[in-house]
Amino acid sequence: NDLGCAFENLSPFGFNADGCGSGGAGQGAPSGVDGGRSGRYPANGAVRPKALWPVIGLRHPGDRVTMSSKWMTSHGVDGASSVKNVLAVDEILCSYETSQLSIAPKTSPKDGLSLPHWFVEESFHEYSRWRSGRWLRSSTRGSGPYKLSSYGLDVELDTSPFSCACACASIGLPIAMLHGDRVDVKRSAGRILELQEEAVVLGTYQGRLFYRLVSQKSEGGSLMEGGGRSWFWDESEAVDGGLQLIGEGLGSSVALPKLSRFNPPCGGLKVVYAGGALVRSDLEIFEGSKSVGTVASGTVILPSEVIERRLNSCGVVRYLIDHKLKSEGSRLCGWISSRIRGGQEEAIVEMLPYCAEEVSDSSNQTLYITPEDSAREWYTNYNRTVKPSKTALERSSFSDKLKIESIHEFGELLASGIISGMSELNSDSLVAATYGRISDVLPPSSEGGCSFVDCALVLGASQPRQRATMSGLSSSIDAVVHEAATESLVHVIDKLPSTKALMVRISMLRALNRRARFGLPWLPLRSAQEGSAILGGLSGFGSSLERAGRTWDSKSRSLWVQAPSTSSRLRKCREIIFTSTKRNFVDSVLDATTTPTPLSHDEYELPREVRTVRVNRLKARRAMISDESSIKKKHSVFSQLQREMRGWSGATLRRGFVAKGHGGQKRAFKVKLVGEGVNDYSGPYREVFTDAMHEVTDVDPSGNSSLGVLQPSANNQAGVGEGRDLFVFALPLNDQSAYNVQEKNQDMLSSEEKELMNSFSSLTHKKNESSREIEDALSYLGKLVGTACRHGIPVDLPLPLGIVWKRLSEENIDIADILKEIDVLAFKRFQDSGSHPMSSPSNQVLATQRRLLNSFTEGMSSVLPVELLSMFTGEQLRDIICGNPDIDVELLRRVVEYEGYNENDKVVTFFWEVLREMTTSERKLFLQFVWARNRLPLKESDFDAPFKIQKDSKTVNEDGDYPLPSASTCFFSLTLPEYPEKDVLKQKLLFAIENVTTMESDYVTNDVEVSEGWRGL
């Protein structure tokens, strides 16, 4: 692979050693050494991993280890299968290069379809599987926290009601919990939880009922301890109300017959242990389990007194009894063990033989031996009790219409699913983008996907000729979903094939992405041989010009030989790989290259390896309103961070420590806000990134950059064109280093020499001391942006698409389009004159931007694997790093939780109305007020924590005025008083977000710190 330093610091044991202190996968690994400047890339430092294999320590003689029932195992994925999968992905990508080939006659009679016949069959199975709506792919806690580090224990869950009923019967639940049911979890792993958790039922695998935690009643509410990954319950957790449905549930509380093994027919129990049988109040044996009494040795407990039989979390058989003591006349109700735990494992009770004659009602008792026996009885009663709604019947009928009977029919639809007037690659790229946008706003039905019926309804409703026939069904889907699909397809709305053909095409793309998900780690994105001089190129054998100089364009590309390769095919077909698939891979690489951080002895304290950065925001804000540029550059938050981190290696910024109670926020350092009295529970950490990005885009009254890092583009300064909010890399005044070729020498060069000179312009420029400061600042800006991206903090950085994001993603770009984006007047001038921008002085400006982009990229590369960015498009990369530039109120509303209020309260209605009426800048201020960031994630699943609106206990101040709203940026919460009028709420909220200068204090600061914060400039 060509990832270079991204894989350099991994353990020699590879991804599978994560969680064992392997040095590659982050938190809790004690073996990483942050080693200065000794690595292959000195700026990145060195992390020397060691592999620590898990060892169970036995301290005293007689200690034992119990293997509980909650474990998973798999033979994993062998190397041969991985290689075959990579070759299969490459074969599919090759088909987009050879569209003139036709599919084998046995799978499709139509010509023009170039996909291999084995992949068409695979796509057909994917279509049938997706349409059934029965299967759900999920990572488990056994797979580890990093998506592609160890995926051998990912599972395909069966979500059908019958399979869920079987799993529920196997753990002794009285009712069936079905896919989508929400459950209050009060027991876990042999203990009663102090704070209950909320989970959603996913489905079954190997007879086990899997769930995923969706809420924890803990400080910060983060799900860092495996909550985001699925796991399963055992019978010890399904006792004494340990699992309780929230509401009636989808099973309508139909009773589930109990298996015979939980109440086996027997002649009673006889206590055989000399010390008698100790009766405890709980199934588990722990400190909270009280001793109820003792049943004497030799006592026979009657069959009618044996209520239930279960295994506890330690694998000990326990019986729930309700026994009457003959001597005292009282009753003992509790749990007794079948044997002693530990030691010689002596038996406590033994089961007496079962005599059918002694049980009068035995002939009327139905025995349920297997979970399937119980589930069949339940399923019969369920179908008799629960009648499908009219909408459910209509959806089922609509799904039946989309059923495909044969591979022959599937092949015909696959060939006809290409949008009219577009190539196969362009058509599939648009379909993949549309499917991605639909999946982002629809509730997920599988990993990286959405419901088959919902997707088909949305696609059908977007086509005018089919809209009328499905208006009733599609009206149940949120209008936001229809808007997303229509916006994506608006320019080809009259050229779309049938809905069925589109769904077939999406199924094919799903099948490709299923393979690509595991193939991407093995596929190079730009091999060293590509474009090399050996094959007639100009790069030499090494780093490509696209990566080193960021100067490749569509015109110069045509002058050199481009040998076909796996790398070029992957980049050419990058748009048919779902964004979620690519994000999954990049996130896995980021997790695997995270610098290990040993845990602190106090779980609430940050380890000493997480350094503290002191930031004086009070001084920075006074400096930014001054007229002197030198004061701004000295005291701004950006400059303070740059000074504090001077000399830090990339390994230090690649930390991703998550502290307990910090809302799940990853961090590389701790922030100390001087004079503000704030504890960094993640709010101040996010705040410094937001403040720094605001400062680098700040301009003085004369329109010049305040810090000299970024400056407004020509379109921004003149207020013309489309990108009026864009910034470009700034240069010191009167800097001549951009002029790489003197005008007097231009006439002496041939056209090919001019192309070469232009291609290498960003590498051959003259360097001087006047430009070194700006290059250092841009390099540090790249480090900040990379760190924010690694830690899930979108930054407000309005850089041009063509100059920055498309060059980082190594896309083919047109110089004219770049110029139009930043200076539309210059573009029109060249357009009128008929000359090309390459031959104009503007090319010198673009060459300067490319040179400065190298500095920005160098900073990013010490934190992010920039080699992977070429798998994204420029737009996708910009969205990943910068998030959503528009504050989507509806997206925020979908992730809200209320404490003290409910959605229908008048003040809550006022709040959402006021938020919708705000301008974009006011919404950004509000988001920074409540979350210390001014951009939202792109979709609901990217939120680490819900937005909380809490009721303020104070209503009216002593002077009769209402208090201001307050916020906790660390935990993304807003404390809102109960205002009687909408105007009052709007006035108070706007005043709070526009006038806040410091974060809400957590403690009283001392006089020394206060004086330091307010000390004069």
Side-chain angles (χ1 to χ4, degrees):
N1 205 306
D2 66 341
L3 296 189
C5 66
F7 282 164
E8 187 180 56
N9 296 329
L10 290 186
S11 162
F13 294 100
F15 288 146
N16 289 330
D18 75 313
C20 306
S22 63
Q27 186 164 336
S31 57
V33 179
D34 192 353
R37 304 178 65 85
S38 59
R40 175 183 172 192
Y41 298 94
N44 296 341
V47 177
R48 303 183 186 90
K50 299 176 183 178
L52 303 181
W53 303 100
V55 176
I56 300 173
L58 303 180
R59 199 173 277 186
H60 306 292
D63 283 356
R64 292 170 180 251
V65 174
T66 300
M67 296 297 291
S68 72
S69 61
K70 301 191 73 169
W71 56 274
M72 296 178 65
T73 185
S74 168
H75 54 73
V77 182
D78 61 280
S81 298
S82 297
V83 172
K84 288 177 182 178
N85 178 57
V86 171
L87 294 175
V89 172
D90 189 44
E91 183 181 358
I92 298 168
L93 298 182
C94 283
S95 66
Y96 284 94
E97 285 189 338
T98 56
S99 57
Q100 70 275 12
L101 300 178
S102 61
I103 199 167
K106 65 177 182 179
T107 55
S108 174
K110 290 201 173 187
D111 294 335
L113 190 61
S114 57
L115 296 170
H117 71 271
W118 63 263
F119 182 61
V120 176
E121 293 177 358
E122 190 173 293
S123 303
F124 175 57
H125 292 307
E126 172 65 24
Y127 182 90
S128 302
R129 187 182 182 89
W130 186 25
R131 194 186 69 84
S132 71
R134 178 175 175 177
W135 302 99
L136 169 68
R137 184 175 183 84
S138 175
S139 60
T140 67
R141 297 189 189 181
S143 299
Y146 312 118
K147 298 183 178 73
L148 290 178
S149 296
S150 53
Y151 52 81
L153 292 176
D154 289 0
V155 292
E156 294 278 351
L157 300 176
D158 186 349
T159 63
S160 64
F162 182 81
S163 68
C164 290
C166 287
C168 291
S170 69
I171 60 176
L173 284 172
I175 58 175
M177 297 178 178
L178 306 185
H179 168 70
D181 278 340
R182 293 203 166 228
V183 182
D184 271 336
V185 182
K186 300 180 180 179
R187 285 177 172 266
S188 179
R191 71 186 193 279
I192 299 176
L193 299 177
E194 295 180 3
L195 299 170
Q196 68 186 40
E197 302 169 338
E198 185 177 324
V200 61
V201 177
L202 298 179
T204 67
Y205 176 73
Q206 294 182 345
R208 296 161 167 170
L209 188 64
F210 277 74
Y211 68 95
R212 182 178 65 245
L213 290 181
V214 293
S215 175
Q216 288 176 313
K217 306 297 183 184
S218 60
E219 184 181 5
S222 65
L223 297 177
M224 55 174 288
E225 297 176 1
R229 289 169 284 130
S230 61
W231 202 229
F232 60 91
W233 289 303
D234 63 14
E235 62 182 75
S236 69
E237 296 165 322
V239 67
D240 294 340
L243 304 175
Q244 291 186 344
L245 272 176
I246 299 176
E248 185 181 19
L250 299 175
S252 300
S253 300
V254 176
L256 182 66
K258 183 173 289 188
L259 294 183
S260 300
R261 70 182 177 89
F262 292 111
N263 192 7
C266 65
L269 300 174
K270 182 178 180 181
V271 180
V272 296
Y273 186 62
L278 181 64
V279 183
R280 287 185 173 271
S281 61
D282 197 87
L283 173 69
E284 304 295 340
I285 304 171
F286 57 93
E287 293 181 0
S289 175
K290 299 178 181 178
S291 175
V292 178
T294 304
V295 180
S297 178
T299 303
V300 174
I301 303 173
L302 300 177
S304 59
E305 296 177 330
V306 181
I307 301 173
E308 194 172 16
R309 171 189 181 274
R310 282 186 182 267
L311 280 173
N312 69 3
S313 61
C314 296
V316 177
V317 176
R318 303 264 286 167
Y319 295 93
L320 178 62
I321 63 170
D322 186 6
H323 176 63
K324 182 178 181 180
L325 297 174
K326 295 181 180 179
S327 58
E328 303 175 8
S330 60
R331 304 193 71 87
L332 279 179
C333 185
W335 295 85
I336 61 174
S337 297
S338 62
R339 58 182 172 83
I340 296 291
R341 184 179 62 172
Q344 299 298 317
E345 305 277 345
E346 297 100 330
I348 297 177
V349 298
E350 65 178 21
M351 187 180 294
L352 298 177
Y354 170 68
C355 297
E357 293 79 7
E358 298 178 6
V359 183
S360 59
D361 59 344
S362 63
S363 59
N364 298 325
Q365 184 179 6
T366 303
L367 298 181
Y368 299 96
I369 305 301
T370 66
E372 288 75 13
D373 295 337
S374 175
R376 287 190 198 98
E377 178 74 18
W378 174 87
Y379 196 63
T380 302
N381 297 331
Y382 171 76
N383 287 330
R384 188 183 302 122
T385 304
V386 180
K387 300 298 180 183
S389 64
K390 180 181 177 182
T391 302
L393 291 173
E394 289 176 347
R395 288 173 63 90
S396 177
S397 175
F398 177 71
S399 178
D400 291 339
K401 292 178 182 178
L402 298 176
K403 186 177 182 180
I404 298 177
E405 298 291 346
S406 66
I407 185 69
H408 181 83
E409 181 187 357
F410 183 86
E412 290 181 339
L413 289 167
L414 191 60
S416 64
I418 301 173
I419 299 173
S420 176
M422 301 181 72
S423 67
E424 186 176 359
L425 178 59
N426 292 337
S427 173
D428 285 344
S429 298
L430 179 58
V431 171
T434 305
Y435 174 71
R437 297 188 66 173
I438 293 173
S439 299
D440 286 345
V441 289
L442 274 176
S445 68
S446 62
E447 192 169 310
C450 60
S451 163
F452 178 90
V453 174
D454 286 344
C455 184
L457 286 172
V458 172
L459 290 175
S462 65
Q463 303 182 51
R465 61 179 181 274
Q466 301 181 36
R467 189 173 299 157
T469 60
M470 52 184 63
S471 59
L473 277 174
S474 62
S475 61
S476 60
I477 300 174
D478 198 325
V480 177
V481 186
H482 293 289
E483 291 174 6
T486 304
E487 184 179 349
S488 181
L489 299 171
V490 63
H491 60 289
V492 293
I493 207 74
D494 56 340
K495 301 177 182 179
L496 292 176
S498 66
T499 300
K500 196 171 186 179
L502 281 176
M503 295 301 292
V504 165
R505 239 21 233 195
I506 292 176
S507 298
M508 182 272 293
L509 293 171
R510 281 170 57 99
L512 168 61
N513 278 267
R514 184 184 293 272
R515 284 186 171 274
R517 177 173 179 261
F518 304 109
L520 281 176
W522 305 95
L523 289 169
L525 292 170
R526 188 176 290 278
S527 53
Q529 298 89 342
E530 187 179 340
S532 106
I534 298 174
L535 302 176
L538 77 165
S539 298
F541 193 83
S543 180
S544 66
L545 191 60
E546 292 93 327
R547 188 162 293 169
R550 311 287 168 188
T551 55
W552 207 243
D553 65 88
S554 55
K555 183 178 179 181
S556 57
R557 174 179 291 273
S558 62
L559 300 176
W560 306 101
V561 174
Q562 297 297 312
S565 65
T566 301
S567 308
S568 62
R569 283 190 289 272
L570 185 59
R571 294 197 310 276
K572 179 182 177 181
C573 300
R574 72 183 95 193
E575 293 185 62
I576 64 174
I577 307 297
F578 297 152
T579 305
S580 58
T581 304
K582 295 181 284 192
R583 285 289 303 272
N584 181 70
F585 171 50
V586 171
D587 290 345
S588 298
V589 174
L590 292 181
D591 290 333
T593 55
T594 296
T595 303
T597 305
L599 299 176
S600 174
H601 294 293
D602 185 345
E603 60 183 352
Y604 288 97
E605 292 292 330
L606 292 173
R608 58 185 176 85
E609 286 78 6
V610 179
R611 306 182 190 180
T612 299
V613 173
R614 291 171 57 86
V615 177
N616 192 333
R617 294 199 308 159
L618 304 176
K619 182 178 289 186
R621 286 179 177 170
R622 296 199 306 279
M624 292 304 293
I625 61 175
S626 70
D627 296 329
E628 294 190 31
S629 176
S630 59
I631 292 180
K632 294 179 181 180
K633 291 180 180 180
K634 182 178 180 181
H635 298 295
S636 66
V637 171
F638 179 85
S639 301
Q640 291 181 54
L641 289 173
Q642 188 176 7
R643 284 196 303 272
E644 287 273 334
M645 298 181 189
R646 191 178 299 277
W648 285 24
S649 68
T652 304
L653 294 176
R654 288 198 300 272
R655 293 192 188 277
F657 188 78
V658 181
K660 190 168 185 178
H662 288 209
Q665 175 66 60
K666 296 179 181 179
R667 67 168 66 243
F669 52 88
K670 179 183 178 181
V671 174
K672 167 70 174 176
L673 297 180
V674 178
E676 297 189 42
V678 180
N679 288 321
D680 184 7
Y681 291 115
S682 75
Y685 184 73
R686 291 191 292 266
E687 187 82 25
V688 295
F689 285 97
T690 304
D691 287 347
M693 296 304 146
H694 176 74
E695 289 173 350
V696 296
T697 56
D698 184 69
V699 293
D700 57 27
S702 61
N704 296 320
S705 172
S706 294
L707 299 185
V709 181
L710 300 179
Q711 67 183 25
S713 66
N715 287 350
N716 189 339
Q717 291 176 333
V720 297
E722 296 180 357
R724 303 185 186 185
D725 60 339
L726 297 180
F727 283 75
V728 295
F729 300 126
L731 268 181
L733 296 177
N734 301 320
D735 180 73
Q736 298 297 321
S737 62
Y739 298 99
N740 307 308
V741 182
Q742 299 296 329
E743 292 291 333
K744 61 182 180 181
N745 296 328
Q746 286 285 335
D747 296 336
M748 300 173 58
L749 302 176
S750 66
S751 60
E752 289 188 358
E753 288 172 330
K754 289 180 180 178
E755 291 287 350
L756 275 173
M757 186 63 71
N758 175 71
S759 296
F760 288 100
S761 60
S762 65
L763 302 176
T764 59
H765 68 280
K766 299 177 183 178
K767 289 190 176 182
N768 55 43
E769 293 300 324
S770 63
S771 62
R772 197 171 301 278
E773 181 182 349
I774 181 65
E775 290 180 355
D776 288 344
L778 284 174
S779 178
Y780 180 69
L781 178 62
K783 288 183 179 181
L784 271 189
V785 171
T787 306
C789 179
R790 181 178 273 273
H791 297 157
I793 305 173
V795 293
D796 190 2
L797 198 65
L799 295 172
L801 183 63
I803 286 182
V804 178
W805 307 118
K806 284 193 174 185
R807 289 199 183 275
L808 284 174
S809 61
E810 302 175 24
E811 278 193 82
N812 295 337
I813 47 180
D814 189 356
I815 299 297
D817 291 338
I818 293 179
L819 193 59
K820 181 180 179 180
E821 185 182 20
I822 61 173
D823 192 348
V824 68
L825 297 179
F827 168 75
K828 289 185 176 180
R829 186 164 57 250
F830 299 135
Q831 197 176 39
D832 295 339
S833 64
S835 61
H836 194 274
M838 297 274 287
S839 61
S840 68
S842 295
N843 189 44
Q844 298 165 350
V845 177
L846 298 181
T848 303
Q849 294 299 313
R850 291 195 296 269
R851 171 169 62 85
L852 296 177
L853 177 60
N854 284 340
S855 299
F856 178 75
T857 308
E858 183 181 358
M860 284 185 66
S861 65
S862 64
V863 186
L864 294 179
V866 295
E867 296 88 348
L868 300 182
L869 302 184
S870 60
M871 76 171 66
F872 297 98
T873 65
E875 291 86 350
Q876 291 170 348
L877 180 59
R878 178 188 59 192
D879 292 342
I880 289 171
I881 292 179
C882 299
N884 192 349
D886 299 321
I887 309 299
D888 188 347
V889 177
E890 294 306 318
L891 176 61
L892 198 59
R893 190 166 185 170
R894 289 200 296 271
V895 299
V896 73
E897 289 182 359
Y898 300 101
E899 293 184 8
Y901 289 123
N902 61 64
E903 190 174 3
N904 298 321
D905 285 340
K906 188 181 295 185
V907 66
V908 173
T909 304
F910 292 158
F911 168 76
W912 292 115
E913 290 176 356
V914 167
L915 203 58
R916 289 191 191 94
E917 294 169 1
M918 285 183 180
T919 63
T920 300
S921 59
E922 289 172 340
R923 290 180 188 176
K924 286 184 177 182
L925 288 174
F926 167 77
L927 194 61
Q928 186 168 358
F929 177 71
V930 297
W931 207 9
R933 54 201 277 181
N934 55 15
R935 292 215 176 186
L936 284 176
L938 292 174
K939 53 186 178 179
E940 187 176 339
S941 59
D942 291 339
F943 282 80
D944 293 327
F947 172 42
K948 293 183 179 179
I949 298 180
Q950 301 169 325
K951 188 173 183 178
D952 195 342
S953 57
K954 297 181 293 184
T955 54
V956 184
N957 294 330
E958 296 179 357
D959 58 0
D961 193 12
Y962 287 91
L964 291 170
S966 59
S968 175
T969 56
C970 297
F971 306 120
F972 195 15
S973 64
L974 173 69
T975 303
L976 190 66
E978 194 167 6
Y979 298 113
E981 306 264 342
K982 176 181 173 181
D983 292 339
V984 177
L985 187 150
K986 183 175 183 177
Q987 176 191 355
K988 296 292 184 181
L989 185 59
L990 287 175
F991 183 86
I993 65 177
E994 290 174 351
N995 293 278
V996 62
T997 56
T998 63
M999 305 183 79
E1000 187 173 353
S1001 298
D1002 297 316
Y1003 59 89
V1004 179
T1005 54
N1006 55 53
D1007 293 340
V1008 176
E1009 186 176 328
V1010 172
S1011 63
E1012 180 184 356
W1014 291 97
R1015 188 177 301 157
L1017 299 176

